[in-house]
Amino acid sequence: MTGWIFALVQTLCVVLFAPFLAGWVKWVKCKLQNRQGPAPWQPYRDLLRLSRKQVVLADVASPIFRAAPYIVFGATVVAASVLPIVSTQLPTAALADVIVLVGIFALTRFFLALAGMDVGTSFGGMGSSREVTLSSLAEPALLMTFFTLAMNVSSTNLSSAVSHLAQANFTLAPSLIFSFMALLLVAVAETGRIPIDNPATHLELTMIHEAMILEYSGRHLLLMEWASMLKLTLYSILIVNLIVPWGVAMTMEPKDVAFAAITVLGKLMALGILLAVSETSQAKMRLFRAPQYLGMAFILSLLGMMSHIILEVR
């Protein structure tokens, strides 16, 4: 029972922490660009402001348009509940593996695309078509990455993978290096960050995610924005706990969990700084080059699997 309570508290903490991570990345970017940016907790103010706004719906909006924000946010929270964040011994770890996690992300993308096309605006349809096109290229690379990881650790369970990587001797396995490089590229594309998308822009020629939620307002927009921040946090947790797994608690002892929480928080802050540096040092690429970017991610993931089969399997 204690494990379930801890899993619930951990999920709640991640959901509440997600706006701060998004604000932290934006704050660091502003400092790197010599601008006086908003404080890291500005996203909380924005979400509170949206909660006070009235919901305005188009006359032609269907029930899918109304239900999509709740489905997208709820599914993202479910994804947060099954990730090994500070401990690998949580009972929720057995509920889903990496394949289910990819399926949950695909479900949120499906309803986002439906909501974008529902009211029939040109921007919504444009954003949905772009999102589906990019996801069809990103998902194979992400699955291939997870398959290679599963072959290395003999399990598709994320907690088992993190536990195996944290306890194994440090070796530079080519398969994991290629797979983690592919994971970084896919994470940038899936979370709508530069160079694939720019979350701060509303230019009709470049936006992808923002185009699908332009017709939302009030609490519906709040849920969509919060789900987007939560998705960024989940991919960040995946990266820091798979690439740098050390520090994650292998038990439920309070001192181990407290140390792991501080360690994971520090790793997320450091990753936020690296993301801000990356976005500051490069420009958004043109949309028709995105398939080349994701094609590179797929090639890297394929090289990872081939390296494991050819070099590492005995």
Side-chain angles (χ1 to χ4, degrees), residues 45 55 71 89 97 227 244 263:
R45 297 173 180 164
V55 174
I71 296 174
Q89 300 300 318
D97 59 5
V244 194
T263 304

mmCIF file of all heavy atoms in Angstrom, residues 45 55 71 89 97 227 244 263:
data_model
loop_
_atom_site.group_PDB
_atom_site.id
_atom_site.type_symbol
_atom_site.label_atom_id
_atom_site.label_comp_id
_atom_site.label_asym_id
_atom_site.label_seq_id
_atom_site.Cartn_x
_atom_site.Cartn_y
_atom_site.Cartn_z
ATOM 1 N N ARG A 45 1.717 31.091 -13.507
ATOM 2 C CA ARG A 45 0.842 32.259 -13.614
ATOM 3 C C ARG A 45 -0.017 32.176 -14.872
ATOM 4 O O ARG A 45 -1.202 32.505 -14.857
ATOM 5 C CB ARG A 45 1.692 33.529 -13.638
ATOM 6 C CG ARG A 45 2.495 33.775 -12.373
ATOM 7 C CD ARG A 45 3.419 34.966 -12.574
ATOM 8 N NE ARG A 45 4.214 35.247 -11.384
ATOM 9 C CZ ARG A 45 5.297 36.007 -11.379
ATOM 10 N NH1 ARG A 45 5.705 36.573 -12.511
ATOM 11 N NH2 ARG A 45 5.970 36.222 -10.264
ATOM 12 N N VAL A 55 -14.402 29.559 -21.494
ATOM 13 C CA VAL A 55 -14.207 28.686 -22.654
ATOM 14 C C VAL A 55 -15.087 29.179 -23.798
ATOM 15 O O VAL A 55 -16.300 29.347 -23.632
ATOM 16 C CB VAL A 55 -14.557 27.229 -22.309
ATOM 17 C CG1 VAL A 55 -14.488 26.363 -23.562
ATOM 18 C CG2 VAL A 55 -13.615 26.699 -21.249
ATOM 19 N N ILE A 71 -8.698 14.085 -22.568
ATOM 20 C CA ILE A 71 -8.068 12.818 -22.945
ATOM 21 C C ILE A 71 -6.556 12.986 -23.064
ATOM 22 O O ILE A 71 -5.782 12.152 -22.565
ATOM 23 C CB ILE A 71 -8.665 12.307 -24.277
ATOM 24 C CG1 ILE A 71 -10.152 11.989 -24.098
ATOM 25 C CG2 ILE A 71 -7.911 11.083 -24.782
ATOM 26 C CD1 ILE A 71 -10.858 11.625 -25.380
ATOM 27 N N GLN A 89 11.371 0.523 -7.860
ATOM 28 C CA GLN A 89 10.615 -0.498 -7.133
ATOM 29 C C GLN A 89 9.148 -0.128 -6.954
ATOM 30 O O GLN A 89 8.484 -0.648 -6.061
ATOM 31 C CB GLN A 89 11.253 -0.714 -5.753
ATOM 32 C CG GLN A 89 12.689 -1.177 -5.796
ATOM 33 C CD GLN A 89 12.848 -2.510 -6.516
ATOM 34 O OE1 GLN A 89 12.041 -3.419 -6.333
ATOM 35 N NE2 GLN A 89 13.869 -2.629 -7.346
ATOM 36 N N ASP A 97 4.945 -1.198 -20.172
ATOM 37 C CA ASP A 97 6.341 -1.205 -20.608
ATOM 38 C C ASP A 97 6.541 -0.128 -21.674
ATOM 39 O O ASP A 97 5.671 0.729 -21.882
ATOM 40 C CB ASP A 97 6.734 -2.589 -21.121
ATOM 41 C CG ASP A 97 5.862 -3.032 -22.288
ATOM 42 O OD1 ASP A 97 5.029 -2.216 -22.740
ATOM 43 O OD2 ASP A 97 6.008 -4.165 -22.742
ATOM 44 N N ALA A 227 -0.326 19.653 -20.720
ATOM 45 C CA ALA A 227 0.054 18.342 -21.259
ATOM 46 C C ALA A 227 1.335 18.444 -22.086
ATOM 47 O O ALA A 227 2.190 17.549 -22.054
ATOM 48 C CB ALA A 227 -1.081 17.776 -22.101
ATOM 49 N N VAL A 244 21.894 8.553 -18.118
ATOM 50 C CA VAL A 244 22.667 8.733 -16.875
ATOM 51 C C VAL A 244 21.842 8.142 -15.725
ATOM 52 O O VAL A 244 21.260 8.865 -14.924
ATOM 53 C CB VAL A 244 22.958 10.231 -16.616
ATOM 54 C CG1 VAL A 244 24.030 10.383 -15.536
ATOM 55 C CG2 VAL A 244 23.390 10.936 -17.878
ATOM 56 N N THR A 263 18.923 13.965 -6.839
ATOM 57 C CA THR A 263 19.774 13.667 -8.002
ATOM 58 C C THR A 263 19.020 13.859 -9.312
ATOM 59 O O THR A 263 19.524 14.489 -10.257
ATOM 60 C CB THR A 263 20.293 12.230 -7.912
ATOM 61 O OG1 THR A 263 20.973 12.037 -6.670
ATOM 62 C CG2 THR A 263 21.244 11.927 -9.052
#
